[in-house]
Amino acid sequence: MPKIIQSSKVRTITKVNDFVVKFANVNGSGSASANNMFAKAVFRMGIPVSPHNIFPSNIQGLPTWYEVRISEAGYLGRREGVDLMVAMNEQTIKSDIESVVPGGYVLYDSSKSLPTELIRDDINYLPIPLKDICLREYDKPNQRQLFKNIVYVGALAAFLEIDFKVLTDMVSDQFRGKERLILPNIHALELGHQYASDNFNCPLNLTLKASNKTTGKILIDGNTAVGLGCVYGGATVASWYPLTPSTSVVDAFSTYCNRLRIDPGSGKKKFAIVQAEDELAAIGIAIGAGWNGARAFTASSGPGVSLMQEFLGLAYFSEVPVVLFNIQRVGPSTGMPTRTQQGDLLACAYASHGDTKHVLLFPSTPKECFDFAADAFDIADRLQTPVIVMSDLELGMNEQICDPLQWNDKREYDRGKVLSGKQLEEIKRFGRYLDTDGDGIPYRTYPGTHPDKGSYFTRGSSHDAYAAYTEDGNVYAEVMYRLALKFRTAVNYLPKPEIALKENHSFGLVYLGTTTSAIQEVLDSLAKKGIVLNTMRIRAFPFHDGVRDFINQHERVFVIEQNRDAQLKSLLKIELDINAERMQSILNYNGVLITAQTIEAAILQSLPGLESSGDVSA
């Protein structure tokens, strides 16, 4: 009877609701749904969980990993080290085993002997003959592969003491309407659970105990939340060209539109989704729809945004509202299409040529993806300008715990300064680019509002306040000055930074987007060492005055971002004229989410002696 392969030197780790399980598979093996089932089972037990899918950009054959951070304390960022490795990929098994912490576990397929050089004397091995079990139980090759993944989930249920009913309920929910698949999947779970229970001392010293920490929470990915936010935000036109990791934004929008945007009387669709021939056409269509009065958007990633630059300049200069969702990935060029980064900050803030500046929003949770998506259309209409929502692959494609999405049915859309036919009748001369009230924002009309008033020529060339062509440099300068004034006005409509000032401390943290997931863990860990830092999460560009004030209040601020060239720090320096010596960068650009351990180590290294003295005012 197989037992845990264990050296007498092993110091077995003991943890409850606080460990990392990592699945190492091959892309295209059907493991994604099984691994996701495991993560959702933990969530349904009331335990905070954070899955991170690390997958290749090819269709099939290369290594893929799925990390599941389990944390009763609610730390949802990635963590260094693996407590239990499900090693299902021969290509990577050596490095996978090396990543396990001392005292941890490796679950592997023992249908084939494990080479002796892969046996560490400081970890535990859980051999299960998964292939042999499936060969015995299933006739079809595709069933053997797919159910092999379900079998190891069943084994994990025994090892970690997962409520088995949670798993069976999930299978029933997942295959509702496809009842013939329910029993085979439950049977596969039972095979794994029975084998582990019969052959090992279950549960392990890593266990899951039901909790209530996920009560009132949901598990959703950012791109799905964006798609739903676009529906509630009033978007009726989506134009796009498929590009990882942004494609699922439009997929989600389409799914929700087909549920919520069908006329109940006629059955006609009250939305338009256009797959364009490339990214240039995609944003051109969205700008055209915005000019015509529709709320329109496109979604892309870095390479697509690069192609959209000239059109973004056109929308900025001709003052047409449009929303762009940039789900950032690793670049430059093709880079690593399925890895995450915050590498497009400067490219988007100053997108296009000449003097352009664009409004940026930085969500950090799926709930903010929903909220900011809806808000972006109000902001774009109010300011008559492009608004770029800066998500990334980590936030967009991985499910995360967040508060429920909420919408006020009494909310009215802010369409900004749009003149009606009656208002046009009262105006002697309509000036499309005329600033009548000093905020830099002119009035506009929708095409066809009035039979002979309110018309103008929308041009990308230099124009005056009445949309007439001009090459008078002074007139051009006046328009550019007004656009700069409008950009300053934009601050009034953007989310303020989240600032936490505990006391009059000398040091602070500045961060945005998905970096947020690691911050609370960093703060708690440093607090145990007597180090307290103030924090500021930036949520929008242009920056509020509070951003400058926060940085100037501190002797040093650590600017945490996920790119090589410290783009957020550069943007702060350029826009706020801050002494760069006050800001110290903590950078991560390896394509995976920065960890709390990385941030803490960088802070401690830069503040020698601080940990031992506990002096935070030195």
Side-chain angles (χ1 to χ4, degrees), residues 5 7 93-94 97-98 108 112-123 125:
I5 300 177
S7 165
I93 193 167
K94 184 176 186 298
I97 290 176
E98 289 174 351
Y108 72 98
K112 181 180 178 180
S113 298
L114 196 65
T116 55
E117 62 268 21
L118 297 180
I119 303 296
R120 285 172 49 183
D121 62 5
D122 62 342
I123 61 176
Y125 291 82

Side-chain angles (χ1 to χ4, degrees), residues 39-52:
K40 286 186 174 179
V42 178
F43 175 79
R44 290 195 179 191
M45 289 181 65
I47 307 165
V49 63
S50 179
H52 306 274

Side-chain angles (χ1 to χ4, degrees), residues 327-350:
I327 317 303
Q328 298 169 90
R329 73 187 204 188
V330 172
S333 188
T334 304
M336 292 192 292
T338 57
R339 298 292 190 269
T340 198
Q341 203 170 71
Q342 296 172 330
D344 298 343
L345 272 64
L346 291 174
C348 287
Y350 305 119

Side-chain angles (χ1 to χ4, degrees), residues 221-223 363-366 369 391-398 400 514:
D221 65 85
N223 283 357
S364 65
T365 65
C369 284
S391 180
D392 58 31
L393 183 145
E394 173 64 36
L395 176 56
M397 297 192 70
N398 288 309
Q400 299 184 22
T514 50

Side-chain angles (χ1 to χ4, degrees), residues 230-237 253 257 261 271 295-297 377 413:
C230 290
V231 174
Y232 275 85
T236 57
V237 177
F253 180 70
C257 279
R261 284 276 173 80
F271 63 94
R295 289 194 153 185
F297 74 92
F377 294 99
Y413 299 140

Side-chain angles (χ1 to χ4, degrees), residues 194-482:
Q194 191 65 48
Y195 187 91
S197 299
D198 290 346
N199 293 279
F200 301 95
N201 293 324
C202 294
L204 306 177
N205 288 337
L206 299 178
T207 54
L208 297 170
K209 298 296 183 185
S211 183
N212 60 358
K213 296 299 177 63
T214 62
T215 302
K217 302 289 185 179
I218 63 172
L219 197 62
I220 188 174
D221 65 85
N223 283 357
T224 297
V226 164
L228 187 58
C230 290
V231 174
Y232 275 85
T236 57
V237 177
S239 53
W240 67 304
Y241 183 78
L243 185 68
T244 301
S246 66
T247 301
S248 56
V249 169
V250 181
D251 288 342
F253 180 70
S254 175
T255 297
Y256 289 118
C257 279
N258 279 301
R259 288 172 52 188
L260 303 171
R261 284 276 173 80
I262 303 295
D263 184 77
S266 64
K268 291 183 178 180
K269 295 180 178 180
K270 298 189 290 184
F271 63 94
I273 298 175
V274 183
Q275 181 173 336
E277 60 268 32
D278 54 33
E279 288 89 351
L280 284 80
I283 194 167
I285 293 167
I287 291 171
W291 170 85
N292 202 43
R295 289 194 153 185
F297 74 92
T298 187
S300 193
S301 191
V305 175
S306 296
L307 294 173
M308 296 176 180
Q309 298 275 312
E310 186 175 1
F311 259 136
L312 282 168
L314 170 66
Y316 172 82
F317 194 52
S318 60
E319 300 181 68
V320 178
V322 67
V323 176
L324 165 61
F325 296 95
N326 181 2
I327 317 303
Q328 298 169 90
R329 73 187 204 188
V330 172
S333 188
T334 304
M336 292 192 292
T338 57
R339 298 292 190 269
T340 198
Q341 203 170 71
Q342 296 172 330
D344 298 343
L345 272 64
L346 291 174
C348 287
Y350 305 119
S352 196
H353 52 279
D355 292 319
T356 55
K357 289 184 182 181
H358 298 292
V359 173
L360 310 180
L361 300 177
F362 303 108
S364 65
T365 65
K367 186 180 188 306
E368 281 194 337
C369 284
F370 174 82
D371 293 338
F372 286 10
D375 293 343
F377 294 99
D378 278 354
I379 296 168
D381 273 350
R382 164 54 60 179
L383 300 174
Q384 301 172 34
T385 197
V387 173
I388 307 176
V389 181
M390 305 290 286
S391 180
D392 58 31
L393 183 145
E394 173 64 36
L395 176 56
M397 297 192 70
N398 288 309
E399 292 185 316
Q400 299 184 22
I401 292 177
C402 69
D403 293 328
L405 312 183
Q406 295 180 336
W407 184 258
N408 182 358
D409 289 333
K410 296 181 180 179
R411 173 172 169 174
E412 296 182 0
Y413 299 140
D414 183 355
R415 300 310 302 260
K417 296 181 177 181
V418 181
L419 294 176
S420 66
K422 181 179 179 181
Q423 289 171 315
L424 285 170
E425 288 281 1
E426 299 169 356
I427 295 175
K428 184 174 181 180
R429 185 184 180 191
F430 171 60
R432 171 62 183 95
Y433 299 112
L434 187 65
D435 182 10
T436 61
D437 43 18
D439 62 1
I441 306 172
Y443 283 83
R444 64 176 173 140
T445 63
Y446 298 143
T449 298
H450 193 280
D452 48 26
K453 284 192 174 184
S455 62
Y456 63 95
F457 191 87
T458 304
R459 63 178 80 246
S461 56
S462 180
H463 50 260
D464 65 13
Y466 296 93
Y469 173 77
T470 180
E471 290 193 19
D472 185 323
N474 291 328
V475 173
Y476 164 80
E478 289 175 359
V479 173
M480 293 304 292
Y481 174 80
R482 180 182 58 75

